[in-house]
């Protein structure tokens, strides 16, 4: 990807999360999963922690309570709106061991061996080059340091998995969640990046959604497409796009039950050590 496309992609991410920044802290699900990510591989007193895609700083603040005054936590994000919320909370808390920085997670300007722990909660699906980024983060870890991130299987979010299946029939590749689509794929990613002591934990969740909601979730060329740029539908003819949408709606009707369409939101908790 050239630099112009990369900047355009980063702008999409920033705008998406700027728009969510005012109510991001209201998501109990995000907070619960973020807390578990840290709890299963917690930092020690005095450790240095990097929180990738920190958002409003939930992981960062929790990690700061664990590393103590002798440790430090750096939270990075592309969204100025999210960082504004995080810095407002930081001012209110009066902590001196936390810092929030506007930065690209795939190209961080820190020296090698800077951190004991790196966390990335609910954001890895945005990464354009997973192996290269995992190698980059590994370089930032100290020997023995650990990485923990959330990953989504390719069955998560029914509108994503069904859209991918339908588009594939027309030769269109929609990659969202594919790099981490299974436990085996997650393991291979970490192995390719040089991690050891790999530990991947699966937590199954899901709920039913109304058929109308499932149908309306069809992706459009104006939508963002995490993990790739531009949106693959921008290269598809209107006729093919319309047919694919009809196929998608038919598939949702087939999946519909008396309770609605089952929406799988299973998550992987992925850990590796340098």
């Amino acid at each position: 990807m050239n630099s112009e496309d990369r900047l355009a992609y980063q702008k999409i991410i920033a705008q998406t999360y700027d728009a969510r920044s005012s109510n991001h802290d209201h998501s109990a699900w995000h907070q619960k999963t973020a807390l578990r990510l840290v709890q299963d591989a917690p930092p020690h007193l005095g450790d240095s922690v990097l929180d990738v895609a920190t958002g409003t700083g939930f992981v960062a603040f929790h990690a700061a309570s664990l590393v103590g005054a002798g440790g430090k936590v750096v939270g990075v994000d592309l969204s100025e709106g999210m960082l504004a919320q995080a810095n407002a909370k930081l001012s209110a808390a009066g902590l001196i061991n936390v810092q929030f920085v506007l930065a690209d997670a795939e190209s961080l300007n820190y020296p090698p061996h800077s951190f004991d722990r790196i966390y990335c909660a609910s954001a890895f699906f945005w990464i354009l080059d997973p192996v290269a980024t995992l190698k980059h983060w590994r370089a930032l870890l100290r020997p023995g340091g650990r990485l923990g991130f959330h990953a989504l299987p390719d069955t998560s979010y029914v509108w994503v998995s069904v859209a991918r299946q339908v588009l594939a029939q027309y030769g269109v590749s929609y990659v969202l969640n594919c790099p981490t689509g299974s436990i085996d794929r997650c393991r291979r990613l970490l192995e390719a990046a040089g991690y050891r002591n790999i530990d991947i934990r699966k937590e199954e969740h899901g709920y039913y959604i109304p058929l109308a909601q499932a149908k309306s979730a069809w992706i459009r060329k104006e939508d963002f497409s995490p993990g790739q740029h531009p949106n693959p539908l921008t290269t598809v003819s209107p006729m093919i796009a319309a047919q694919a949408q009809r196929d998608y709606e038919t598939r949702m009707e087939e999946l519909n039950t008396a309770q609605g369409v089952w929406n799988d939101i299973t998550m992987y908790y992925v850990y590796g050590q340098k």
Side-chain angles (χ1 to χ4, degrees):
M1 181 180 295
N2 62 41
S3 58
E4 185 177 338
D5 283 343
R6 181 173 288 275
L7 288 173
Y9 181 71
Q10 292 173 354
K11 184 177 180 181
I12 290 169
I13 297 174
Q15 291 176 338
T16 299
Y17 286 93
D18 284 350
R20 299 178 184 179
S21 59
S22 62
N23 61 10
H24 186 71
D25 279 352
H26 299 160
S27 174
W29 182 83
H30 278 97
Q31 293 192 12
K32 176 185 175 182
T33 56
L35 186 63
R36 179 181 168 185
L37 184 69
V38 178
Q39 286 177 330
D40 285 0
H44 304 122
L45 278 173
D47 276 356
S48 293
V49 175
L50 176 64
D51 178 24
V52 175
T54 189
T56 59
F58 186 76
V59 166
F61 287 117
H62 180 61
S65 71
L66 299 176
V67 302
K72 71 172 184 179
V73 179
V74 178
V76 298
D77 207 289
L78 280 172
S79 167
E80 292 183 348
M82 288 288 193
L83 292 178
Q85 297 286 333
N87 277 311
K89 294 194 292 186
L90 179 59
S91 296
L95 296 173
I96 61 172
N97 63 342
V98 181
Q99 178 186 20
F100 294 108
V101 179
L102 186 70
D104 173 15
E106 297 192 57
S107 182
L108 294 164
N109 189 24
Y110 294 102
H113 307 162
S114 290
F115 301 100
D116 300 286
R117 293 286 187 275
I118 297 178
Y119 302 106
C120 179
S122 299
F124 192 75
F125 57 86
W126 284 103
I127 297 299
L128 290 167
D129 191 334
V131 172
T133 301
L134 289 171
K135 288 181 178 179
H136 175 48
W137 293 351
R138 183 179 179 276
L140 300 181
L141 282 170
R142 292 172 180 151
R146 296 188 69 188
L147 165 72
F149 64 93
H150 290 142
L152 298 174
D154 52 18
T155 55
S156 280
Y157 296 96
V158 64
W159 50 88
V160 172
S161 60
V162 172
R164 181 167 44 251
Q165 294 164 16
V166 167
L167 289 171
Q169 297 173 359
Y170 296 93
V172 180
S173 177
Y174 183 46
V175 305
L176 179 55
N177 300 341
C178 286
T180 60
S182 66
I183 289 177
D184 185 55
R185 280 186 235 169
C186 289
R187 184 175 300 279
R188 290 202 303 267
L189 280 177
L190 287 175
E191 289 173 344
Y195 290 84
R196 61 189 179 90
N197 294 332
I198 297 167
D199 182 16
I200 303 170
R201 307 174 188 187
K202 180 179 181 180
E203 188 169 275
E204 296 183 352
H205 291 288
Y207 54 89
Y208 288 97
I209 59 175
L211 176 61
Q213 180 182 339
K215 285 185 173 182
S216 68
W218 166 250
I219 65 169
R220 295 169 175 81
K221 65 180 181 179
E222 298 81 14
D223 296 338
F224 54 77
S225 53
Q228 65 189 130
H229 183 81
N231 184 314
L233 280 181
T234 59
T235 62
V236 174
S237 71
M239 182 177 67
I240 294 299
Q243 183 58 55
Q245 182 175 358
R246 288 192 291 271
D247 292 347
Y248 169 89
E249 292 175 352
T250 298
R251 179 61 179 141
M252 286 300 183
E253 290 171 356
E254 293 170 351
L255 292 173
N256 193 40
T257 70
Q259 297 167 283
V261 178
W262 178 251
N263 183 37
D264 178 21
I265 57 169
T266 292
M267 179 178 283
Y268 300 141
Y269 293 77
V270 184
Y271 301 94
Q273 187 173 26
K274 180 171 179 175

